[in-house]
Amino acid sequence: MRASFASMLLAFLSVLANPASSAFTTTGSTVILNDIAYYIPGTSVATVNLNGGRIWPGWGFGNKNNLGEGLVPMTVVSGPSGFDAQAVANALGAADDVWQSGFLEVLYVQYNTTVWGRPAPQMYNATSGTTVITTHGGKLPSGPYFVDASSGAVYQAYRLYSDTIGAFTETAISNTDGTFSVLPANVPGQHLAVAVPSRSYFTKTADKPLAGVRLGVKDIYDVAGMRTSNGNRAWYHFYPPANVTAVAVQKLVDAGAVIVGKMLTSQFANGESATADWVDYHESFNPRGDGYQDTSSSSSGPGAGAGAYSWLDLTIGSDTGGSIRGPSGVQGLFGNRPSHDEVSLAGVMPLAPELDTAGFLCRDPEIWTAASRVMYSSLSWASTAFPKTLYTLNFPTTASTPGNAVLLGFLRNLTSFLGTNSTPFSLASAWAANPPAAAPGNVSLTQILNITYPILISKEQTMLVRDPFYAAYGAAMGGRKPFVDPAPLVRWAFGDAYPTSALTDAINNQTLFANWFNSQVLVANTSSPTCSNAIMLYVGSSAQQNPRNQYFSGPGVPYGFSSGRISPFAGNPDFVYPVGQAAYNSVITGVQEVLPVAVDIMVARGCDNVLFKLSEALIKAGILNISQPGRSLVDGGEILYKREATMPFEQALEVRVSMEEFAQ
């Protein structure tokens, strides 16, 4: 016993003699200011002189000794010589959901002109009790901060929101080296906390057109410093954090977007239904209507978050067979499946490279378009007019339901805006009348393409994702397999039953259809002012309830061909426009609620710019509207919990404080 005790004592003394063996790193702190939670990073952004300078007239000198000790909330303002303090506070409060009056404990004034030949600013309507400190020059962006009263170290303020609808898998904070870390903070709400920086810190420039845009990233995209889950717990814990951010996401970050977290995806981007299929993770909650509708998938988190949160400006998802378009439609968002191969998918988990695309889910077409100009940098934006030919696919002809009435109303407005009439179009009839020479005889289009999609996604994903994952996991875990949800297993098993040659046949069938469709139906002409010969419209969502508390017989194989499969096979753009909302009798609340109504709208491959420009033109014409976050895409409203209304990003930029406006 004595020998054992002596050995332990020597080991303990050895640790004491080598304190450098212990690593200590601060990860920041969480504070409450007037009942609002904030995260303060561990690294300061500047150091200021708190001894102060002169305020004219009558304010004397700032004095750091009046500030006490520790971190103190501070507002930074910048400009020439004259400041109306109350106007500054009003503007900051209107433009920024992070700033509040509590940050007026210290007013740090950065001025750049002189008064009566002396470098001192004028101050009007300052709040009693505010310590005013001045400096000539200074480069801190205006807005809220926390300052260390002893050292003058300045820290940015991040407001903490609760992800009440469960849209995020992990929330993020940026590091100075361009990587990201998991946010080390939380707040009440039974879900993760999300930290958002002040909007006042950012100014748009030609190089940074997305400056300050708050971005949520679907959790199949790599983000440097963070783990990727692909919707699978075993994958998340087995593989290390990414070293490099996915190309598509990095382009947005380079343009100024701020990643606030990674967002929920159905497992391995396969379609899943809320109650029946989600096992490893719980599906996000659709904020619309009664709050218990299915979000659609696989971009479940991006759709739910964009539909719910005013503090989230943009989300990036992926679309293989409908994973952006479905969530956009049922949550009343603008969403796009772009022309295929418009941006590299390096650093993104594949489902089927022949079909995979990266796109956005967003409430405001202005942000949507700005982000798309960044991510699809090789896309032409030269079109100057809209096509006059308008096709409809399986569109309602009577207002038999409230949703159909909204759809028909939009169609009337669209035809009037374009100065044309709509023409019903049948793909099956067009194919039968003029099939490609290589098409097999006496075989319908539906028959040719019936298993094309399930073969492509199952064969490609088993080869690119499942097999390497199983091999690596088994080697490390004594031959064990990782858990996988039912939906991917069913689809992978379907592919396993077919020979390798089936993948070649599926690619050939897809190519056959793409060549025919792109030369006979929606035809691109980049030298034409309209780029595309026509526009094609079909129903996206029609306010039909799909409550998440219903059980199904189990996941199946996604056989068949439909309007939603045209763009994956042809590679042309397919966008979602929210066109309104319609009432339904909720089986959840027992009263009448409203759900979004949306259309899918397509043009020829490479003509995406036509649809971005059309959305903005229809907004200006009052035919479309910016979607509101909350229970209703028209009116907003609470989502089963109390939420504060905050200003959307673009509106915030319009009223963003500019100190020159307050010059006296």
Side-chain angles (χ1 to χ4, degrees):
M1 286 292 292
R2 288 185 177 181
S4 176
F5 175 77
S7 298
M8 290 192 298
L9 180 60
L10 286 173
F12 177 69
L13 292 174
S14 176
V15 171
L16 292 179
N18 295 279
S21 63
S22 299
F24 178 84
T25 303
T26 178
T27 58
S29 58
T30 303
V31 300
I32 304 294
L33 180 62
N34 292 337
D35 296 325
I36 296 176
Y38 291 90
Y39 170 70
I40 305 173
T43 303
S44 64
V45 294
T47 300
V48 298
N49 178 10
L50 296 179
N51 287 320
R54 189 178 183 191
I55 296 293
W56 183 91
W59 281 91
F61 292 83
N63 188 336
K64 70 177 182 180
N65 294 326
N66 295 336
L67 301 181
E69 298 180 352
L71 294 172
V72 179
M74 176 176 76
T75 295
V76 172
V77 294
S78 303
S81 62
F83 296 90
D84 182 329
Q86 188 59 54
V88 169
N90 291 343
L92 279 168
D96 185 14
D97 57 337
V98 177
W99 189 89
Q100 54 146 305
S101 62
F103 284 99
L104 287 175
E105 186 167 337
V106 175
L107 188 61
Y108 187 79
V109 181
Q110 301 175 141
Y111 61 94
N112 53 32
T113 58
T114 61
V115 177
W116 292 349
R118 301 179 65 184
Q122 296 173 316
M123 180 66 65
Y124 304 92
N125 299 323
T127 304
S128 176
T130 296
T131 298
V132 182
I133 300 174
T134 67
T135 183
H136 190 253
K139 297 181 179 179
L140 275 172
S142 297
Y145 295 86
F146 291 93
V147 62
D148 188 308
S150 300
S151 67
V154 178
Y155 300 85
Q156 289 184 329
Y158 285 75
R159 182 169 177 173
L160 293 174
Y161 287 98
S162 177
D163 174 29
T164 314
I165 60 167
F168 287 84
T169 55
E170 208 148 50
T171 52
I173 197 76
S174 60
N175 301 319
T176 55
D177 63 357
T179 64
F180 296 81
S181 296
V182 175
L183 175 69
N186 211 347
V187 291
Q190 296 188 313
H191 284 283
L192 297 172
V194 186
V196 298
S198 169
R199 296 195 186 281
S200 301
Y201 300 156
F202 305 96
T203 302
K204 281 186 176 182
T205 65
D207 292 334
K208 302 287 186 182
L210 302 181
V213 169
R214 298 165 181 172
L215 173 68
V217 179
K218 184 177 181 179
D219 198 11
I220 65 169
Y221 290 84
D222 285 344
V223 172
M226 300 186 73
R227 295 176 185 265
T228 300
S229 76
N230 298 325
N232 181 270
R233 293 199 307 162
W235 186 290
Y236 175 89
H237 291 286
F238 184 70
Y239 291 104
N243 292 320
V244 179
T245 297
V247 171
V249 176
Q250 189 62 53
K251 294 180 77 167
L252 303 174
V253 172
D254 290 344
V258 178
I259 295 175
V260 298
K262 303 193 76 174
M263 306 191 79
L264 199 67
T265 175
S266 54
Q267 196 165 90
F268 297 114
N270 282 265
E272 294 183 309
S273 297
T275 300
D277 304 328
W278 292 72
V279 179
D280 259 357
Y281 298 99
H282 199 42
E283 186 191 73
S284 306
F285 284 83
N286 184 334
R288 305 305 191 183
D290 55 38
Y292 278 82
Q293 299 299 305
D294 196 278
T295 62
S296 188
S297 59
S298 60
S299 301
S300 170
Y309 302 137
S310 61
W311 45 262
L312 182 63
D313 303 315
L314 180 72
T315 62
I316 180 172
S318 66
D319 192 304
T320 302
S323 292
I324 287 174
R325 291 166 290 154
S328 294
V330 300
Q331 266 125 167
L333 303 168
F334 294 89
N336 68 298
R337 177 193 168 88
S339 294
H340 188 260
D341 217 19
E342 283 296 335
V343 64
S344 168
L345 294 181
V348 188
M349 184 215 67
L351 183 52
E354 298 85 358
L355 311 177
D356 294 342
T357 59
F360 300 108
L361 304 90
C362 191
R363 297 184 304 276
D364 188 341
E366 188 172 344
I367 299 175
W368 190 33
T369 301
S372 296
R373 285 182 177 272
V374 168
M375 196 160 77
Y376 314 123
S377 53
S378 62
L379 195 67
S380 170
W381 292 85
S383 68
T384 58
F386 301 121
K388 294 293 186 181
T389 300
L390 177 62
Y391 296 131
T392 58
L393 285 173
N394 303 313
F395 218 74
T397 56
T398 63
S400 55
T401 67
N404 283 352
V406 175
L407 290 165
L408 290 172
F410 171 75
L411 182 59
R412 286 192 299 270
N413 290 335
L414 180 61
T415 54
S416 175
F417 177 83
L418 295 174
T420 189
N421 294 310
S422 62
T423 302
F425 190 88
S426 169
L427 272 179
S429 298
W431 178 276
N434 186 27
N442 300 318
V443 180
S444 70
L445 178 61
T446 301
Q447 290 174 310
I448 292 172
L449 297 176
N450 184 49
I451 65 169
T452 298
Y453 182 78
I455 286 292
L456 284 171
I457 65 169
S458 62
K459 284 294 189 183
E460 289 286 27
Q461 194 167 61
T462 54
M463 178 173 56
L464 298 172
V465 177
R466 184 198 67 181
D467 292 351
F469 179 34
Y470 277 15
Y473 190 90
M477 302 293 179
R480 294 174 175 83
K481 287 184 179 180
F483 176 83
V484 174
D485 281 359
L489 289 178
V490 166
R491 292 161 189 181
W492 294 346
F494 167 81
D496 289 341
Y498 283 81
T500 304
S501 60
L503 178 58
T504 302
D505 293 340
I507 293 172
N508 290 339
N509 287 338
Q510 181 207 352
T511 304
L512 181 71
F513 173 78
N515 291 339
W516 173 80
F517 184 86
N518 294 331
S519 63
Q520 300 296 320
V521 184
L522 292 181
V523 183
N525 181 356
T526 54
S527 62
S528 165
T530 64
C531 188
S532 177
N533 69 316
I535 294 172
M536 185 171 282
L537 203 66
Y538 67 95
V539 176
S541 63
S542 56
Q544 298 297 308
Q545 61 182 321
N546 181 22
R548 62 188 292 141
N549 63 334
Q550 57 187 343
Y551 291 89
F552 299 95
S553 58
V557 176
Y559 293 108
F561 178 73
S562 62
S563 300
R565 292 277 163 81
I566 294 171
S567 56
F569 290 159
N572 64 296
D574 186 339
F575 287 19
V576 176
Y577 290 175
V579 299
Q581 63 186 17
Y584 73 104
N585 294 316
S586 169
V587 299
I588 302 294
T589 64
V591 300
Q592 194 171 81
E593 309 282 3
V594 290
L595 285 175
V597 178
V599 298
D600 276 71
I601 186 164
M602 299 188 291
V603 288
R605 184 168 182 169
C607 297
D608 306 48
N609 73 98
V610 173
L611 298 180
F612 286 117
K613 292 178 178 179
L614 180 59
S615 69
E616 293 185 324
L618 293 177
I619 289 277
K620 291 178 181 177
I623 296 172
L624 294 178
N625 294 286
I626 294 172
S627 292
Q628 299 302 311
R631 187 173 66 247
S632 160
L633 71 92
V634 175
D635 304 312
E638 297 178 3
I639 315 164
L640 300 178
Y641 64 94
K642 185 172 178 59
R643 49 190 301 276
E644 280 187 24
T646 52
M647 188 171 290
F649 181 73
E650 288 302 322
Q651 187 179 357
L653 286 181
E654 292 176 7
V655 297
R656 182 179 180 273
V657 62
S658 170
M659 292 304 103
E660 294 183 3
E661 295 181 7
F662 306 115
Q664 301 299 311

